[in-house]
């Protein structure tokens, strides 16, 4: 297993912003490149925690954890789990998700949800291995037209 550290980001450095922007296309080819202000908003928002896996000045992976209160309790969602292709198979995604689960539990979340496309077979196996259960539910999306 490679030597990396997992930490919650509190400050967006120029290096981190460049590294995140370079990593995002590995998750989504259709996502537009985030602006510096977008990344800063994620880091500063009390509803989101950006977790990163790094070794020195190399961003190996990241995920975003959203924690929010609804009338029925505290909920949590893991989004945008990305591990750099060059660093897969080293336990990075597992470590990121475990850290996110610890954050959510500490915050009092009753559940942690995430979604993963069926084509991401390795990711789906990982989530099951970590104790997530596949739910039988419908996911609906409303898309706003691009301006």
């Amino acid at each position: 297993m490679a030597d990396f550290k997992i930490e919650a980001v509190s400050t967006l450095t120029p290096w981190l912003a460049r590294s995140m922007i370079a990593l995002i296309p590995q998750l989504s080819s259709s996502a537009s490149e985030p602006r510096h202000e977008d990344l800063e908003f994620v880091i500063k928002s009390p509803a989101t925690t950006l977790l990163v896996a790094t070794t020195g000045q190399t961003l190996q992976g990241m995920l975003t954890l959203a924690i929010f209160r609804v009338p029925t309790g505290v909920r949590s969602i893991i989004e945008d789990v990305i591990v750099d292709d060059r660093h897969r198979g080293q336990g990075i995604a597992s470590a990121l998700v475990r850290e996110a689960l610890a954050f959510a539990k500490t915050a009092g979340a009753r559940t942690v949800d995430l979604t993963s496309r069926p084509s991401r077979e390795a990711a789906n196996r990982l989530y099951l291995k970590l104790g997530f259960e596949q739910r039988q539910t419908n996911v609906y999306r409303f898309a706003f037209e691009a301006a």
Side-chain angles (χ1 to χ4, degrees):
M1 184 173 280
D3 186 30
F4 56 86
K5 72 177 180 180
I6 305 290
E7 61 185 338
V9 176
S10 59
T11 303
L12 182 64
T13 64
W15 164 81
L16 182 58
R18 285 190 308 274
S19 298
M20 291 174 65
I21 289 167
L23 191 56
I24 288 171
Q26 291 186 33
L27 177 68
S28 173
S29 60
S30 64
S32 59
E33 184 176 294
R35 298 171 305 159
H36 185 88
E37 307 86 68
D38 300 326
L39 300 175
E40 189 74 44
F41 187 85
V42 171
I43 291 167
K44 297 297 182 191
S45 172
T48 53
T49 301
L50 176 68
L51 296 174
V52 295
T54 58
T55 298
Q57 286 289 297
T58 302
L59 177 63
Q60 296 177 313
M62 64 183 189
L63 71 67
T64 303
L65 173 68
I67 301 172
F68 53 95
R69 178 168 286 285
V70 294
T72 56
V74 178
R75 299 285 191 258
S76 183
I77 299 172
I78 292 174
E79 288 286 344
D80 291 355
V81 180
I82 314 169
V83 174
D84 190 313
D85 289 335
R86 298 169 294 182
H87 301 287
R88 291 194 178 154
Q90 299 177 30
I92 294 168
S94 178
L96 284 165
V97 171
R98 288 179 199 275
E99 187 71 11
L101 293 173
F103 266 80
K105 183 175 183 178
T106 299
R110 292 183 53 212
T111 60
V112 178
D113 291 326
L114 59 80
T115 60
S116 185
R117 290 191 300 266
S119 62
R120 296 190 176 276
E121 293 175 5
N124 283 283
R125 284 192 303 273
L126 172 67
Y127 301 140
L128 291 171
K129 181 179 174 185
L130 291 174
F132 285 84
E133 296 177 6
Q134 188 173 12
R135 297 185 67 201
Q136 297 302 315
T137 187
N138 296 327
V139 176
Y140 297 93
R141 175 175 289 164
F142 182 91
F144 294 99
E145 291 183 37

